[in-house]
Amino acid sequence: MADRLLVFSAVLVIGTGGCGSLWWMLDLWSHFWPFYGLGLVPVVFWQGTRRRWGQLAWAVVLTLVWLWPLGPYVVSRNRPSSFNLRIVVANLFAENPTPEVALQFLREQDADVFVLLEVDAEWMTHLTTLSEDYPFGKILPREDNFGLAVLSRRPLESVVQKHFGTARVPTLIAELADPPLRILATHPLPPMGATNTAHRDSQLTELAELCAAEDRATIIAGDLNITPWSSTFRNTLTLGRLADSAWGLGIQPTWPTWTPAPLIPIDHLLTSRQVQTVRRHVGPAIGSDHRPVVIDIAVSAGID
């Protein structure tokens, strides 16, 4: 039994960790990476107590391979003592049965900027109730789950809609004046099938290229429909010279809400080097299938 569990764990870890870019199904399975190594713990214990040194060595190597991508999330980092901007990212869910719960949550956060996903015409009506406190921004409703909104209580120099990647779903580019910060609010397609996965990947790649082209304070924020264990996610960070704002703060799952606890982190804020995360946490259930993310950041400069 232990040998079978070792082989099964090896297939999962090696297949999803190293081959996700070759087949969309492997990439999809990679999103549950933190769970795959759990089967290795009893295997290491069993092989060690039985003194089966060859199998034990394989189990230890696989365990280290499994732990390596998790390291950045559990190793503490130096952080600024204060922040100058609070951002809330929330997938509101177009079919949210309790929009008043979501609106109440937003009002309680004392946020400077909201990045909101799945905004349709009905949600646009609800969000206008926030306009007195958040007079700056843009609401872009759509009926296909890819509507967006960026709302700010601080002046914005501009908010423009652009399209990145091959899916032609919108991204809002908001330019915050103080502190100087570019926010890329985006919502790629979910990776269900080879075509959708390719659309998602192309969108993230082009956003990363934009970040790399200008060395300035930037955040990619939204429901990115990807987890840190995907090769595309890692490539996005590398290409864009970005960091995951959750590094050093633990794995913070946001989806789904119909399980006893969220399983995977697919709602993200990816930051350029001028942006430091001070605090970050996942909010409560707000009637959506996602939990929101609240982040306090310190922006050191707009353009270096």
Side-chain angles (χ1 to χ4, degrees):
M1 180 64 182
D3 289 343
R4 292 179 181 178
L5 187 56
L6 178 60
V7 171
F8 181 67
S9 298
V11 171
L12 284 176
V13 170
I14 295 173
T16 61
C19 305
S21 60
L22 302 180
W23 186 33
W24 72 271
M25 280 296 295
L26 288 176
D27 179 79
L28 189 65
W29 294 336
S30 74
H31 299 325
F32 298 91
W33 176 273
F35 300 97
Y36 295 153
L38 297 179
L40 291 169
V41 176
V43 170
V44 170
F45 178 78
W46 174 261
Q47 304 294 8
T49 58
R50 307 289 285 187
R51 298 187 178 183
R52 302 177 67 182
W53 307 122
Q55 291 90 332
L56 176 61
W58 275 108
V60 169
V61 169
L62 283 173
T63 301
L64 294 175
V65 171
W66 170 62
L67 288 173
W68 183 260
L70 307 181
Y73 296 88
V74 299
V75 176
S76 62
R77 293 169 175 252
N78 293 327
R79 303 186 184 281
S81 58
S82 61
F83 68 96
N84 54 9
L85 195 71
R86 173 170 292 173
I87 301 175
V88 174
V89 174
N91 182 318
L92 297 174
F93 189 44
E95 300 176 9
N96 191 321
T98 57
E100 67 280 0
V101 174
L103 289 170
Q104 183 62 27
F105 167 80
L106 295 178
R107 293 189 184 100
E108 293 173 350
Q109 299 314 301
D110 191 31
D112 297 291
V113 179
F114 294 127
V115 174
L116 306 174
L117 300 310
E118 292 200 26
V119 176
D120 58 11
E122 184 175 353
W123 264 115
M124 183 176 183
T125 301
H126 292 307
L127 294 178
T128 56
T129 64
L130 301 174
S131 60
E132 182 176 349
D133 294 323
Y134 294 87
F136 308 103
K138 185 180 184 65
I139 301 176
L140 183 65
R142 288 168 61 111
E143 300 307 313
D144 59 0
N145 292 340
F146 295 96
L148 302 170
V150 174
L151 304 178
S152 175
R153 66 182 180 185
R154 301 193 186 190
L156 297 173
E157 294 180 344
S158 65
V159 186
V160 298
Q161 173 188 347
K162 289 193 176 182
H163 295 89
F164 295 90
T166 54
R168 307 302 296 169
V169 294
T171 292
L172 288 178
I173 303 178
E175 300 282 355
L176 191 67
D178 181 25
L181 175 69
R182 176 175 57 186
I183 300 173
L184 307 176
T186 196
H187 186 191
L189 269 62
M192 301 305 294
T195 300
N196 276 12
T197 301
H199 285 322
R200 181 205 64 185
D201 293 355
S202 67
Q203 187 166 337
L204 293 175
T205 296
E206 291 189 14
L207 286 165
E209 289 172 344
L210 175 65
C211 294
E214 298 181 44
D215 186 20
R216 56 179 301 185
T218 301
I219 288 181
I220 298 177
D223 169 9
L224 303 188
N225 276 311
I226 197 169
T227 68
W229 334 123
S230 166
S231 59
T232 298
F233 187 92
R234 297 192 296 269
N235 292 341
T236 299
L237 295 184
T238 301
L239 178 60
R241 299 196 292 271
L242 300 166
D244 188 342
S245 60
W247 281 349
L249 296 171
I251 300 169
Q252 300 186 6
T254 60
W255 183 91
T257 56
W258 60 76
T259 53
L263 298 176
I264 57 177
I266 62 174
D267 300 271
H268 299 282
L269 295 104
L270 311 181
T271 60
S272 69
R273 66 182 182 87
Q274 299 90 348
V275 180
Q276 299 295 316
T277 302
V278 179
R279 288 183 294 270
R280 184 189 193 276
H281 71 272
V282 173
I286 57 172
S288 172
D289 56 337
H290 296 244
R291 289 180 183 254
V293 178
V294 182
I295 186 173
D296 296 335
I297 58 173
V299 181
S300 59
I303 302 175
D304 284 359

